[in-house]
Structures are given as structure tokens and as C-alpha cells.
Amino acid sequence: MALVGCGSALPAASVSNAALSERVDTNDAWIRSRTGIGARRVAGPDETLTSLAAEACTHALAHAGWSPESLDLILLATSSPDDLFGTAPRIQACLGARNAVAFDLTAACSGFLFALITTAQYIAGGSVRRALVIGADQLSRWVDWDDRRTCVLFGDGAAAVAVEACDADANGLLGFRMRSDGSRNGCLTLAQTDQRQALLGNLSAQRGGFAPIHMNGQEVYKFAVREVPAVLAEVLEACGTEANQLDWLLLHQANQRILDAVAERFKVPPERVLSNLASYGNTSAATIPLMLDEAVRDGRVKPGHRLASSGFGAGLSWGGALLRWSGPQG
Ligand code: UT7
């Protein structure tokens, strides 16, 4: 599977740390020093997950030089769908990708990496030739805007990567590992509320609805700085790759201190660690493709570059992959 194109889309409104401090008891110095975040994009009512993701896909298709009809698969990683029955088919309809099958995959901040790895299996099996892998989230709809421990962290965004079957020498997924540990699920949740509704006689049913994001920040932080280096070390060893052969670290953008800790573990210099936390915060499933798209567009990531990538978050779930960027073919 080769990584040949990318695209992204962001809501128009940017909310700075200073602006947020007018609503909750926080300040720019705390947020920047503890997270590296300076601002985040927040989607308005008309900027749906579908519209942002479809825009990102349109850019990725143009970058790859593909028609929508040539797609076999659209895989959307998200935890904040427009429709719990599935949002990917709506994106398919916007694109006019009538020959593709489109469905959603949920793995929180690991979602994009899991979706990319899943897509690679279809491509390896021969049933898919061309696919768009999307990471998109609008957690602004699910944070408690009065909870300073979480509302400062998250932002909205969507990004897509165009991938296709290729010869072995162009392979863009050189190795990977995927992990989850449901026993630690309670550390980070966007879970159903416990609301009963009486039906008939003694019979009652749950009413659907979700509580805002709840996170034990310190536990998730400790989990990330322990598991991300471990899983990346496994991937690199399996690929026979030394950290000094990496062109970039492309990690889930949750906290600059996590990026720095992982970089230090592998002795990757700061200038090879991709970070856009300052502008966008944590966009959950979107962070990795959003960062990739930015670095491809501004010329930092070039064809042939190797990127060590890791997604981690709710589940708890995490994974690592060694990627190679190909760029548009022909
Ligand atoms: O994408 C999914 C993966 N998520 C992550 O990887 C997030 C991992 N966790 C983190 O990044 C960090 O734990 C946070 C950024 C969430 C929090 O940073 P921390 O250094 O762990 O802070 P803390 O939770 O230990 O809180 C320290 C203090 C507390 O005050 P007291 O109790 O010491 O008086 C908090 O109440 O900072 C306070 N605090 C704030 N102060 C100003 C918490 N949030 C804020 C805030 N502004 N926004």
C-alpha cells in the first residue's frame, strides 16, 4: 500500500487560550506550558463532520490526481459522527464516489492509525485498490465547556490520506502494532448516560445520550509516555530500523510534553518532531493526517521519507507504525 495523497479541512473559527480564559478559570501560560496548545478550531453549526471530511477528501483526491469514481473504499475514523449509524456513506455521497464502500471505525485518538492499518489489509487481500482513509473529529460538541481540565485540550478538524495498491518497493506501511486495554477504559470516556425511560409495566429501557468527555489526565499522560515508546520500539525493531534512520516522528498531537518525551527516548532531535499543537490542539482521530498534510504541503515531508507514527488515547488504545510517504504517482 502506497501513501500517495492527502488533504485536510478545518473549521473557520479559531479560539485562543486568552479567549477561553474568559469562560473558564485558566490562562495562556498554564495551557502553553502544560500542553503546548495555543489555539484550537471550533466548528460552527453548519460545519458538520461530513462537510469537513468531504472537503478534506476532495483535497486528497485532487492531490492524488484521482476521480471519486476510482475509489473502492472510504474508511472514516471518528468518535464524533454526525450519525451513529455511520457518517462515511454521507461523505461518499458528497464526493460522488459511487463505486466505493464507505463505513466508520471508532478507536478515538488511535482511530486514524487503526483505519490506515485496516485499509492496508484490504489492499493486501486484493479486494481494494484505491482508498481514502479519513481521520475526523468534532470533540467541541462533546466537551464540557465549563471543565477547564478538558475543554482547553481539544479542537475540531478533518484530514484524509489517499492510499493505493503498489509494488513492494513503494510500500508505505513498513510495520505496525495495535494494542488496547479495556480494563483502563474509565481513564478517558465519552460514554452513555444512565437515563431510564419507562416503557410498559415494569419494563424500562435506556434512553440514548452521552455524557461529556471525562478524562483522568495524569493517568492518560503516564500511559502515553510508557506505551508509545514501547510500541514504537517494537515496530522499529521488527522493521530493522534504527531511530536515527527516521526522517520524522509523526505522533498523535495530545501534548507537547508527550511528543518531547518520546523524542528524547529515541534521541530524535526536536526539528524532526512534527507538531502543530500550538495552532490546533488535540483533534483526536484527525491529528496524524492533519499533521502529515501540513508537512507534505509545506515540503518538510518528501517522497521516500520514513515516519514513525503512533496514535494513543481512549479505549485505552494505542498503536505504532513505520510509514513511508510516496506522494502523487506520475
Ligand atoms: O488524546 C487522548 C490522549 N490524551 C492525552 O494524552 C492527555 C494526557 N494528559 C495530559 O496531557 C495532562 O495530564 C493534562 C494536560 C491534561 C493536564 O496536565 P497535568 O500537568 O497532568 O495537570 P494536572 O491534571 O496534574 O493538574 C495540575 C493543576 C491542578 O491544580 P491543583 O489541584 O494542583 O491545584 C489542576 O486543577 O492544574 C490545574 N488545572 C488547570 N489550571 C489552569 C487543570 N487544568 C487547568 C487549566 N488551567 N486548564
Side-chain angles (χ1 to χ4, degrees):
M1 179 183 80
L3 281 55
V4 301
C6 52
S8 60
L10 290 155
S14 178
V15 177
S16 68
N17 293 343
L20 258 189
S21 69
E22 290 171 20
R23 184 182 171 107
V24 284
D25 180 16
T26 189
N27 56 76
D28 182 61
W30 190 96
I31 303 171
R32 278 187 197 274
S33 64
R34 299 286 181 128
T35 70
I37 297 167
R40 69 288 296 145
R41 298 294 179 96
V42 176
D46 297 331
E47 291 171 312
T48 63
L49 194 87
T50 303
S51 68
L52 287 174
E55 188 187 336
C57 288
T58 301
H59 294 314
L61 286 173
H63 190 209
W66 296 353
S67 70
E69 293 82 7
S70 71
L71 290 171
D72 303 311
L73 171 68
I74 298 169
L75 188 46
L76 168 66
T78 190
S79 305
S80 44
D82 289 337
D83 182 341
L84 282 180
F85 282 158
T87 301
R90 295 186 183 198
I91 299 166
Q92 173 193 15
C94 290
L95 298 175
R98 57 192 168 81
N99 298 313
V101 61
F103 61 95
D104 296 12
L105 179 155
T106 300
C109 302
S110 309
F112 175 78
L113 211 60
F114 284 16
L116 188 70
I117 293 164
T118 301
T119 299
Q121 311 314 306
Y122 287 110
I123 290 179
S127 60
V128 166
R129 184 161 173 79
R130 282 187 171 174
L132 284 177
V133 184
I134 310 164
D137 266 310
Q138 292 191 327
L139 293 187
S140 65
R141 297 183 182 196
W142 297 104
V143 290
D144 174 354
W145 284 100
D146 294 317
D147 176 7
R148 69 176 184 174
R149 292 165 303 164
T150 51
C151 76
V152 303
L153 304 173
F154 297 104
D156 301 335
V161 175
V163 297
E164 72 177 338
C166 66
D167 297 335
D169 56 358
N171 182 23
L173 180 62
L174 302 167
F176 67 86
R177 292 283 188 278
M178 298 159 77
R179 300 270 186 268
S180 62
D181 177 2
S183 72
R184 290 187 276 173
N185 179 261
C187 290
L188 181 47
T189 54
L190 202 181
Q192 289 252 21
T193 45
D194 185 10
Q195 290 178 45
R196 310 276 161 97
Q197 55 182 333
L199 280 187
L200 292 165
N202 290 334
L203 189 63
S204 61
Q206 281 288 115
R207 187 187 295 278
F210 293 85
I213 293 170
H214 166 82
M215 179 168 72
N216 182 333
Q218 288 190 0
E219 282 305 312
V220 178
Y221 186 91
K222 283 188 270 178
F223 143 77
V225 296
R226 185 174 53 241
E227 302 294 2
V228 173
V231 80
L232 281 178
E234 268 186 55
V235 170
L236 293 180
E237 190 183 345
C239 295
T241 299
E242 299 293 332
N244 62 14
Q245 296 175 284
L246 296 172
D247 294 293
W248 301 103
L249 265 188
L250 173 62
L251 306 180
H252 169 50
Q253 309 278 302
N255 188 321
Q256 187 63 42
R257 290 186 289 142
I258 297 175
L259 303 191
D260 295 344
V262 178
E264 194 178 315
R265 157 69 178 78
F266 292 104
K267 298 190 171 50
V268 174
E271 61 273 17
R272 295 210 169 273
V273 181
L274 294 169
S275 173
N276 59 10
L277 272 161
S279 307
Y280 308 126
N282 179 347
T283 55
S284 193
T287 63
I288 291 174
L290 198 58
M291 186 66 253
L292 178 67
D293 183 51
E294 184 181 320
V296 165
R297 302 267 169 189
D298 68 20
R300 276 177 288 173
V301 171
K302 298 183 171 29
H305 275 186
R306 286 182 191 211
L307 306 98
S309 187
S310 177
F312 54 89
L316 295 178
S317 63
W318 66 104
L322 181 60
L323 307 176
R324 183 166 50 199
W325 175 251
S326 287
Q329 308 296 290

